[in-house]
Amino acid sequence: MPDVEQAEIYGRRPPWYLRLPAHLLLAAGGVFFLLPLVWMVATSLKPLDQTMRYPDSLQSAFLGEGWKAEIGGKTCDVVLERRVAPAPDRPFFIVQPKAPFAAGEMTHPFGKDVWDRYPVFNKQELVRMNATVEPGMNVLADDVNRFDPAAGILRLQSGRALSATLVRHIDPVAEGDELWVVREWRAEDTDTKEVGSTGGDVTRAWDVVAKSQLQKTVRVIPENYPVALRRVHFVRCLLNTLFLCTLVVLGVTISSMVIAYGFAFLEFKGRDLIFGITLATMMIPFPVTMIPVYLLYRDFGWVGTFKPLWVASWCGSAFFIFLLRQFYLGLPKDLLDAARIDGCTELEILWLVIVPLSRPAIAMIALFTFLGTWKDFLGPLIYLNHEAQFTLSLSLQAFASEHGGTPWHLLMAASTVFSLPLIVLFFCTMRTFIRGIAMTGVKG
Amino acid sequence: MRHVHFGLLAIGILVFCVAYFERPPKLEDFDPVRDAEFAKTWNQRLHLAYWEKWGSFERDACQAMVDDFNRSQEEIFVHYINSGQVDRKAMLAIVGGCPPDVVGLWATNVQPFASGGALMPLDEWMAKSGLSPERYTPQYLEIGQWEGKTYALPTTPASVALFYNKDHFQAKAAELRAAGLDPDRAPRSIEELDRYAEVLNEFNPDGTPRIMGFLPTEPGWWNTLWGYYFGGTLYDERTGTVTPDDPANLRAILWVKRYAERYGRDKMLQFRSGFGNFDSPNNAFIEGKVSMEMQGVWFPNFIRRHRPHLNFGVAPFPTAEGVPGPVSFLDSDVIAIPRGCKHPEAAWKFIVHSQQRGLEILCRMQGKHMPIKDPPALFRQGHPNLELPVFEQVAASPHSFIRPVLSVWQEYADELTRAFDHIWNYPVAEAELKGLSGKDLDARIEALCRPEVERTYAEVRDIVQRKLDQQQLRADMRKRKGDG
Amino acid sequence: MKAELRRAITGYAFILPWLVALVVFIGYPFFAAFYFSFCDFPPLLKPMFIGTENYRQLVIDPVFRRSLAVTLIYAAFAIPFGVFVALSLALLLSARIRGQTFYRVVFYLPHLVPSVVVALLWMWIFNPKFGIFNVVLGLLMRVADAWTGLFFRLSADGGPLVHPAAVLLLVGPVAALLAYGPWLKTSASTRHGGFRFAAATVLALTVLTVAFAVLCWLLPEDMRKLHSPGWLADGTSFPSVVKFAPSWALWAIIVMGMWSVGQMAIIYLAKLQDVPVQLYEAADIDGASWWDKTRHITLPMISPVILFNVVMAIIGTFQVFTEPYIMTRGGPEDKTRFVAMFIYDQAFQYQNVGYASAVAWFLFLLIVGLTMLAFQISKRHVYYAGR
């Protein structure tokens, strides 16, 4: 088979006015083919709230945005926690309490004794509610937690009142501007679902800032990757996937090698009939046998183990047997005859003569099987139960179908890591690949 | 000879790998955190697998319930296993002969699972453990029943109500008053809801909506059940027939269709596709794109997460004029023991806990009410859902309804969804509606669509009724043969 | 006699694993499915024989009819479309220009992304509001509107249907006549190559412009929708005048399928390079144009591969599962409920293994029929070298 790079079919190199449109078309197509992948990588570096947002510019379609603000003389990444709108009849203040209290008292109409008594809130929320507001920390006094500047008393939502000192008034801003409570953002926030995930974490720096004072920044979060990999139990899943891939690749190549040899070079009664049936089985669509095969494995007691996913591969695969047989038949027959005359057994001929000659075809089969096993999702979905057994593609899907919304940024990070080995493999073995792809399109 | 050695080594490694990975995974191997906490009694306990659907803060609630059970005794240890699409996975595992010990299903799964023999009946155990059926709100208990037996018990119940954005109401207070509506309360009938919605709508200069007062397809989870708010039902238990073409149901779908035509099908489609995930700050209601919406008891949790200062109110969802209310759709997550489970007795002990102290923990932490008639006195104190009374009220209403208890419900629901989409998309030429408004417009829309609505829903009735009859027939055949 | 027996033993020993697979993993399930198709069989109970009841139901079941129609419509549009795109791509990729290795890699890359990820990715791309597809499509449509608006009236307001500028459209046909007219056929074509190409381009542009205007007149609704389609959420068919046209949701899945056409293109590409160079050299001497060479040499030489791939694609159509399962769950209005999904739902959702088996078997027969039809039709058009 001639190499892709060498043979050029249409004889001459086309003139420039044909080359140009060809380049244009290919480039346009290339964009269509690459854009989704670029988006995948771009999304994997965004914060979650930026993944479902209407892009107002090309830059914001691919780069996550965030805000920076000056808090206490230091510029840092912030989250816009909420908008506040003080009015003359509802003035807002920043105050410092004189006694400590739990942060949750500002957001709930009951005190710490109540939430301590009953397990009501989830861990994260509880940590935030239990955080102590020390004297000297700034607190926002709004229309829920009211501050009486004359008396110097802060009335919390929980009903408790304590004395506090005024730090400053919050003045209403000009028409068209907005006031926002901003709080320091940290990279670990990418793990949580909430956008205002820092909301209420009193230990972080915060301030009330006019929107016109905020600066837009590009926010690229490589931390999405470790977070995503931890969530899918990456190492365990990778080991499982590699285990399956090894067994299946070995099984398919070895068995197809041997079986194809039988079909190609050994003559016995019924061979052609069986080969015909083999070809015909390729026409059976997968849904036909799906259910009985499942029931069969159940009767073997194999559901919930890896066996249904690899044992059958040691019995060969119709398509690869067919391919390999075609390849064998193209080999020079005299070598075989010579070996037979030398008194080699059939197995020896296979191992010493045929296999070395058909290395490219075998490599191709191995590659394609690897690809198929790595990507397979329906098989593991049906047969594996225990989280410790999950393969990568299955853990990815479980991650995506988590009830209550998909963490797109983490999903895309995991997907990128998942596709990366295949892309690297493709680059390393491009020649085998392209030759192999060519072979799969053989004459019917 | 060297490569023979290599070959042997390779085979050896392979065999080792197979042995290592094919070892049946034990539950206790994959829970290191809890292993440490329960180290003393870890090995003497019986380990059970509990599959649940929850992934986020609801998961914390389930885990808290499970932890509470694990601490309360020393014989059994339950592992909470979070599983996406738990119903499909559970069905496959039950068919495959390796089910979990306890499984948390959706309400819609109970009848199909039970009629296929996938769940164990719980009545005898209930009688032994003193869990009396009278304890429960009847509708919630019925969700888990099939042919007179209880197969699943409710864990966290749901009821729905009308959420409305008080800020939107206040911003349009003058216009609402001008239309003879009170901006300080929610609408009390569907006709009133339509009038509120009309006032609350806001459009961009190009005619596309910016805020919709109300959208019957948002969130779109109960599209098939609108008929109940017009006094209809989907199944007539007396005659054993399905009634999707009940006049009240047709009225409901025509009401929905009016929204599609008044504001434009395509515009609504574009508008809706601009909404983010339900559980995100871009949720239509949380973001303020929709002023009124039907939502469930869980919704305040999400508002608190994404926009804690949203000024919203909750009221029973209105019914059509003349239909007694309040009406709410009642749903529940359920807990059950799959057939083929290896330790049913131990699993039952866990279920008993999940129905007593566990139930309280679970419902509080998920911000829901309890599916029982008399919740413990302390249940309401410090409950994180401040709107709880409204949901308790609609859940206790005699007019509230559950899905028809049918083994073919899933097919039925699929057909209803298809019919709903079909009517929503049924083309009405714009020219036909030109120049009409108000009642005339509604009358014209109804006149144009009614024949198609009647045809579509009659077709649904025929398809589902045939399935129902056929399933009945086959079940009878099996009984006569003494199998199943 | 003994030698023959010995040969048979060796032979069967070699193919023994495959025999096991053939019997246990293929043959048994295949015939078991056949038996189940005559049974009522919830998977946890024993199968109960009920005769041809399942097949009778299959004939009258409108849900199944709908899902079969969806699958066939998809096949009828996606397969020819796919072959066309893959072939064009292969021809482009085989052109002798710089950077081909890079292009080939780019076009193959999508095949390496797992289908779950692909489905999730394209859900976002097809979002009518946020999705990048509608942004680009809207832009293209506005350009097309502006361009066609120079020559024709597209909006509904009064005035002449054709603007005076439409006279310019005559340039195309005239140029084509000059370039391809019979009087030039004999002269050496290479010198006029540039001119001929330009003429072809102008003609193509003219045809496209007129076609666009005509479509805007005939199908104003559809063309308006094309500016910003609802894709996966829209169950209405496009174009709306064709009764069996795919719905917008189905179009979305067809377009998405084009994304993984790289595999096919590479297959064709490899086969293109098997075509003996001498044939092209001979054609060059005869003064054949690029189109002549493509039509009379390239296509016939690779026709067996096309046939093979079409047959595989037909089989593949009946297995489409992951994409609709993740992206639409069969909606809107069942317009993307492919048969494979129907079977899965019947078996695992509704616990109706008997009926699912009947459908699966019906499918199998249909595939055999379609494949035979493909071979029959292609008999005249497929050229097998050496036969």
Side-chain angles (χ1 to χ4, degrees):
Chain A
M1 197 157 300
D3 240 294
V4 176
E5 283 78 9
Q6 289 170 11
E8 295 300 346
I9 56 149
Y10 279 46
R12 284 172 282 109
R13 180 182 155 91
W16 68 269
Y17 54 83
L18 287 178
R19 289 205 308 272
L20 190 70
H23 268 298
L24 278 178
L25 279 173
L26 283 172
V31 169
F32 174 74
F33 275 69
L34 271 188
L35 210 56
L37 291 175
V38 174
W39 178 75
M40 178 167 92
V41 177
T43 307
S44 72
L45 293 168
K46 283 183 184 180
L48 175 62
D49 62 317
Q50 299 278 311
T51 57
M52 272 310 253
R53 203 179 65 99
Y54 190 71
D56 40 25
S57 69
L58 204 60
Q59 187 198 343
S60 73
F62 289 100
L63 290 174
E65 280 173 355
W67 299 92
K68 264 185 193 295
E70 208 176 283
I71 299 176
K74 206 173 72 189
T75 307
C76 57
D77 282 318
V78 292
V79 173
L80 300 195
E81 202 169 285
R82 66 175 166 119
R83 201 185 147 186
V84 291
D89 55 329
R90 320 180 289 172
F92 283 21
F93 308 93
I94 294 180
V95 298
Q96 288 189 346
K98 284 186 183 149
F101 64 91
E105 296 201 44
M106 293 175 66
T107 47
H108 291 277
F110 40 80
K112 189 164 161 37
D113 49 332
V114 174
W115 76 72
D116 277 350
R117 203 151 10 111
Y118 309 106
V120 178
F121 301 95
N122 64 57
K123 270 176 274 161
Q124 254 174 359
E125 208 172 354
L126 208 58
V127 167
R128 265 184 244 144
M129 286 167 66
N130 275 330
T132 319
V133 179
E134 305 279 359
M137 278 183 175
N138 284 351
V139 162
L140 177 72
D142 50 14
D143 46 359
V144 181
N145 302 293
R146 290 168 194 281
F147 179 66
D148 180 357
I153 298 272
L154 175 68
R155 255 173 237 292
L156 298 174
Q157 200 183 357
S158 64
R160 208 140 75 88
L162 35 91
S163 57
T165 52
L166 178 69
V167 177
R168 69 178 168 96
H169 279 273
I170 295 172
D171 302 315
V173 281
E175 188 74 21
D177 204 354
E178 294 168 1
L179 273 179
W180 281 82
V181 175
V182 297
R183 207 179 282 273
E184 185 194 344
W185 178 86
R186 291 176 194 161
E188 69 249 31
D189 294 342
T190 196
D191 197 8
T192 53
K193 235 179 199 168
E194 294 97 309
V195 172
S197 51
T198 56
D201 182 353
V202 292
T203 57
R204 298 195 190 179
W206 70 276
D207 202 353
V208 176
V209 179
K211 197 154 188 188
S212 55
Q213 305 286 309
L214 293 168
Q215 314 153 19
K216 246 187 189 176
T217 56
V218 169
R219 194 172 280 171
V220 176
I221 313 174
E223 284 84 356
N224 283 345
Y225 281 82
V227 168
L229 296 189
R230 260 202 309 279
R231 278 226 205 158
V232 296
H233 303 292
F234 184 71
V235 177
R236 182 76 216 195
C237 290
L238 182 70
L239 282 180
N240 289 336
T241 312
L242 284 178
F243 163 71
L244 265 186
C245 283
T246 317
L247 275 183
V248 173
V249 168
L250 278 179
V252 168
T253 38
I254 293 176
S255 60
S256 299
M257 231 154 64
V258 175
I259 296 161
Y261 183 86
F263 279 127
F265 299 125
L266 299 177
E267 282 186 27
F268 52 91
K269 241 195 182 144
R271 182 189 75 173
D272 294 331
L273 178 71
I274 296 172
F275 189 67
I277 295 174
T278 305
L279 290 185
T281 59
M282 285 199 283
M283 286 226 296
I284 301 176
F286 159 74
V288 175
T289 51
M290 172 174 72
I291 303 154
V293 165
Y294 187 81
L295 298 178
L296 186 72
Y297 284 132
R298 171 191 64 183
D299 295 340
F300 289 173
W302 285 0
V303 173
T305 70
F306 288 111
K307 290 188 200 82
L309 301 174
W310 65 265
V311 170
S313 72
W314 284 80
C315 296
S317 128
F319 189 56
F320 290 132
I321 292 173
F322 168 62
L323 279 187
L324 214 51
R325 174 182 174 268
Q326 303 298 93
F327 190 90
Y328 284 171
L329 289 180
L331 295 177
K333 208 143 191 275
D334 357 342
L335 274 176
L336 202 75
D337 293 337
R340 284 215 174 113
I341 289 163
D342 283 353
C344 290
T345 63
E346 299 293 340
L347 263 183
E348 277 170 339
I349 299 175
L350 172 63
W351 185 246
L352 299 173
V353 182
I354 303 296
V355 169
L357 283 176
S358 47
R359 248 185 221 143
I362 292 171
M364 185 275 288
I365 291 179
L367 263 176
F368 275 75
T369 315
F370 182 82
L371 204 68
T373 316
W374 186 276
K375 281 167 57 170
D376 184 23
F377 139 76
L378 200 60
L381 174 76
I382 292 179
Y383 291 112
L384 299 181
N385 277 332
H386 198 285
E387 217 171 327
Q389 295 173 316
F390 278 13
T391 62
L392 277 176
S393 67
L394 191 57
S395 69
L396 209 61
Q397 196 265 349
F399 191 19
S401 70
E402 203 168 82
H403 195 69
T406 309
W408 284 97
H409 58 321
L410 301 182
L411 179 66
M412 290 302 154
S415 302
T416 309
V417 174
F418 177 48
S419 320
L420 206 62
L422 296 186
I423 293 175
V424 171
L425 189 73
F426 174 66
F427 273 102
C428 297
T429 56
M430 202 142 61
R431 275 178 177 236
T432 319
F433 241 101
I434 294 198
R435 208 183 297 138
I437 296 163
M439 256 194 282
T440 57
V442 282
K443 295 164 192 175
Chain B
M1 245 19 233
R2 238 172 68 213
H3 51 263
V4 172
H5 287 173
F6 278 126
L8 282 178
L9 189 67
I11 291 174
I13 291 173
L14 210 63
V15 168
F16 172 78
C17 277
V18 173
Y20 176 76
F21 281 95
E22 285 294 1
R23 202 169 32 115
K26 279 194 188 140
L27 281 169
E28 43 273 47
D29 292 345
F30 211 61
D31 212 349
V33 182
R34 280 160 226 291
D35 190 351
E37 189 184 339
F38 293 89
K40 245 186 268 160
T41 54
W42 190 251
N43 288 326
Q44 73 198 43
R45 289 182 187 237
L46 184 62
H47 291 262
L48 299 187
Y50 167 36
W51 288 7
E52 251 303 351
K53 45 191 144 337
W54 301 116
S56 130
F57 70 94
E58 286 110 333
R59 179 201 175 123
D60 291 348
C62 287
Q63 187 69 62
M65 169 182 89
V66 171
D67 285 348
D68 191 69
F69 173 72
N70 289 338
R71 287 195 196 98
S72 70
Q73 40 74 44
E74 295 197 338
E75 294 101 60
I76 302 165
F77 193 94
V78 174
H79 296 261
Y80 177 93
I81 297 167
N82 170 28
S83 151
Q85 300 189 333
V86 68
D87 46 347
R88 283 164 202 265
K89 287 227 75 176
M91 193 65 204
L92 274 169
I94 296 168
V95 172
C98 55
D101 297 286
V102 183
V103 62
L105 294 170
W106 305 104
T108 47
N109 305 135
V110 176
Q111 285 79 28
F113 274 52
S115 65
L119 300 178
M120 297 179 78
L122 307 174
D123 301 271
E124 278 175 32
W125 278 324
M126 279 175 76
K128 255 189 258 167
S129 317
L131 276 184
S132 106
E134 279 75 46
R135 221 176 134 237
Y136 295 92
T137 312
Q139 284 107 323
Y140 287 128
L141 188 68
E142 205 185 333
I143 284 174
Q145 291 179 327
W146 170 245
E147 291 189 332
K149 283 187 194 160
T150 308
Y151 287 91
L153 289 170
T155 46
T156 51
S159 54
V160 296
L162 177 73
F163 282 70
Y164 61 103
N165 189 320
K166 284 185 176 167
D167 286 342
H168 286 189
F169 274 51
Q170 288 313 317
K172 288 267 171 94
E175 287 101 318
L176 284 171
R177 283 207 188 87
L181 301 164
D182 182 355
D184 296 318
R185 65 163 176 85
R188 287 180 186 150
S189 71
I190 287 200
E191 289 75 9
E192 214 177 70
L193 176 86
D194 292 342
R195 285 166 59 207
Y196 270 87
E198 183 106 45
V199 177
L200 291 165
N201 289 335
E202 273 184 31
F203 296 93
N204 290 322
D206 63 345
T208 54
R210 197 153 57 83
I211 296 177
M212 288 297 292
F214 177 74
L215 245 186
T217 51
E218 176 62 26
W221 300 336
W222 305 290
N223 282 347
T224 55
L225 301 172
W226 282 120
Y228 285 92
Y229 294 86
F230 288 78
T233 58
L234 288 170
Y235 179 64
D236 187 344
E237 266 173 61
R238 277 178 305 114
T239 57
T241 51
V242 291
T243 54
D245 54 344
D246 180 322
N249 291 336
L250 298 191
R251 222 180 119 199
I253 181 73
L254 282 164
W255 168 72
V256 171
K257 180 65 175 166
R258 285 216 296 270
Y259 274 84
E261 290 310 321
R262 272 187 181 200
Y263 305 115
R265 299 182 299 276
D266 293 340
K267 274 185 200 146
M268 289 301 108
L269 197 150
Q270 293 284 336
F271 185 54
R272 280 211 64 197
S273 58
F275 301 170
N277 283 347
F278 165 71
D279 183 7
S280 81
N282 309 104
N283 175 308
F285 184 81
I286 294 179
E287 210 181 10
K289 282 184 174 159
V290 171
S291 310
M292 295 183 283
E293 175 170 327
M294 182 190 276
Q295 264 298 355
V297 61
W298 53 80
F299 200 40
N301 289 324
F302 293 90
I303 296 177
R304 198 171 76 217
R305 259 146 78 86
H306 298 300
R307 220 176 133 198
H309 299 270
L310 182 71
N311 187 14
F312 69 96
V314 180
F317 199 88
T319 52
E321 257 154 33
V323 175
V327 173
S328 165
F329 167 55
L330 302 184
D331 197 0
S332 177
D333 301 311
V334 296
I335 194 166
I337 303 180
R339 193 169 292 272
C341 137
K342 282 168 203 83
H343 313 289
E345 292 290 336
W348 174 249
K349 275 188 193 150
F350 172 64
I351 290 194
V352 169
H353 177 267
S354 83
Q355 293 301 302
Q356 290 166 343
R357 206 179 125 74
L359 191 64
E360 202 181 326
I361 295 175
L362 202 58
C363 292
R364 286 179 65 105
M365 283 190 70
Q366 292 199 5
K368 294 168 180 168
H369 52 277
M370 286 179 86
I372 55 178
K373 282 175 190 157
D374 296 305
L378 287 174
F379 177 70
R380 292 193 185 93
Q381 196 182 359
H383 195 286
N385 188 346
L386 305 176
E387 312 295 337
L388 196 69
V390 177
F391 292 100
E392 286 188 324
Q393 178 205 345
V394 295
S397 160
H399 305 295
S400 291
F401 65 97
I402 59 172
R403 289 185 196 88
V405 180
L406 291 172
S407 58
V408 293
W409 169 251
Q410 305 219 331
E411 285 104 314
Y412 193 4
D414 285 350
E415 281 305 301
L416 284 172
T417 308
R418 194 194 64 80
F420 182 92
D421 289 345
H422 177 71
I423 296 301
W424 178 270
N425 285 324
Y426 178 66
V428 173
E430 270 174 41
E432 293 267 13
L433 306 175
K434 216 163 212 172
L436 293 173
S437 66
K439 286 242 152 54
D440 295 339
L441 179 65
D442 294 349
R444 173 64 67 82
I445 294 170
E446 182 166 340
L448 288 171
C449 298
R450 186 168 269 281
E452 183 66 15
V453 168
E454 281 172 0
R455 199 192 60 72
T456 310
Y457 280 80
E459 194 192 352
V460 171
R461 182 197 59 210
D462 293 343
I463 293 174
V464 178
Q465 191 66 44
R466 204 177 54 236
K467 288 236 163 91
L468 191 64
D469 293 344
Q470 177 195 316
Q471 206 159 62
Q472 202 63 48
L473 194 76
R474 290 186 184 175
D476 291 348
M477 271 169 80
R478 274 186 189 276
K479 270 194 201 119
R480 250 179 290 133
K481 283 190 172 177
D483 168 34
Chain C
M1 195 63 224
K2 216 178 146 207
E4 194 172 310
L5 188 68
R6 186 113 119 288
R7 273 218 304 276
I9 290 175
T10 333
Y12 278 102
F14 265 80
I15 64 164
L16 183 65
W18 178 240
L19 284 181
V20 172
L22 214 53
V23 172
V24 178
F25 299 119
I26 298 171
Y28 161 75
F30 185 63
F31 291 107
F34 185 65
Y35 170 67
F36 293 159
S37 74
F38 292 98
C39 294
D40 174 50
F41 186 16
L44 283 167
L45 307 176
K46 277 193 222 98
M48 173 179 73
F49 191 78
I50 52 166
T52 54
E53 187 60 33
N54 284 325
Y55 289 95
R56 209 177 61 79
Q57 196 197 335
L58 185 142
V59 176
I60 54 170
D61 185 356
V63 187
F64 170 67
R65 265 210 305 274
R66 280 198 297 264
S67 95
L68 187 64
V70 166
T71 315
L72 291 179
I73 290 172
Y74 174 81
F77 280 79
I79 295 177
F81 199 41
V83 169
F84 175 75
V85 173
L87 259 181
S88 326
L89 194 59
L91 285 176
L92 275 175
L93 285 177
S94 68
R96 224 178 134 174
I97 55 176
R98 222 167 287 196
Q100 284 294 26
T101 319
F102 171 74
Y103 286 131
R104 283 168 196 165
V105 170
V106 166
F107 286 104
Y108 192 72
L109 271 188
H111 195 73
L112 299 173
V113 180
S115 47
V116 179
V117 178
V118 172
L120 293 169
L121 210 62
W122 282 84
M123 264 171 84
W124 176 80
I125 290 173
F126 279 127
N127 183 308
K129 193 146 184 167
F130 300 140
I132 206 145
F133 202 94
N134 271 10
V135 174
V136 177
L137 189 67
L139 204 70
L140 286 181
M141 288 302 286
R142 277 203 296 282
V143 171
D145 279 346
W147 169 256
T148 316
L150 293 177
F151 310 106
F152 302 97
R153 179 171 63 82
L154 296 178
S155 57
D157 57 356
L161 284 177
V162 181
H163 294 317
V167 178
L168 286 176
L169 289 178
L170 288 176
V171 173
V174 170
L177 259 176
L178 285 178
Y180 291 96
W183 54 84
L184 278 179
K185 202 68 184 169
T186 46
S187 71
S189 55
T190 43
R191 246 186 304 152
H192 298 285
F195 177 59
R196 287 171 60 164
F197 178 76
T201 313
V202 175
L203 184 67
L205 205 60
T206 312
V207 171
L208 281 180
T209 312
V210 174
F212 190 83
V214 169
L215 282 177
C216 283
W217 277 322
L218 293 180
L219 308 165
E221 274 291 290
D222 284 345
M223 293 307 276
R224 199 176 46 73
K225 233 181 187 175
L226 199 56
H227 284 71
S228 176
W231 295 120
L232 293 166
D234 195 341
T236 52
S237 34
F238 172 82
S240 52
V241 284
V242 184
K243 190 155 181 251
F244 294 107
S247 59
W248 284 102
L250 202 55
W251 274 116
I253 293 182
I254 294 173
V255 171
M256 192 183 88
M258 293 304 117
W259 197 51
S260 46
V261 91
Q263 168 103 346
M264 283 284 186
I266 301 267
I267 293 177
Y268 291 142
L269 176 64
K271 286 293 145 183
L272 282 179
Q273 296 174 343
D274 277 359
V275 179
V277 187
Q278 298 90 313
L279 289 180
Y280 292 114
E281 285 167 359
D284 277 339
I285 292 166
D286 290 348
S289 70
W290 172 83
W291 175 244
D292 291 333
K293 282 188 273 184
T294 306
R295 190 150 181 279
H296 295 292
I297 301 174
T298 316
L299 287 183
M301 288 304 285
I302 62 168
S303 54
V305 193
I306 298 180
L307 175 68
F308 178 76
N309 282 312
V310 165
V311 171
M312 292 315 270
I314 292 176
I315 299 173
T317 309
F318 290 94
Q319 306 185 7
V320 175
F321 178 77
T322 314
E323 292 84 359
Y325 180 78
I326 291 176
M327 295 171 79
T328 60
R329 306 251 149 170
E333 290 183 59
D334 276 6
K335 288 289 168 60
T336 56
R337 191 175 295 280
F338 284 74
V339 199
M341 204 168 146
F342 182 83
I343 293 175
Y344 181 92
D345 276 350
Q346 285 294 338
F348 294 119
Q349 187 94 330
Y350 309 153
Q351 303 180 55
N352 216 338
V353 170
Y355 188 44
S357 302
V359 174
W361 253 83
F362 175 78
L363 265 193
F364 171 66
L365 296 179
L366 197 69
I367 285 176
V368 172
L370 282 178
T371 311
M372 286 195 343
L373 193 72
F375 275 110
Q376 280 299 322
I377 292 174
S378 61
K379 232 178 210 162
R380 292 188 342 174
H381 302 292
V382 174
Y383 167 80
Y384 287 98
R387 256 187 228 174

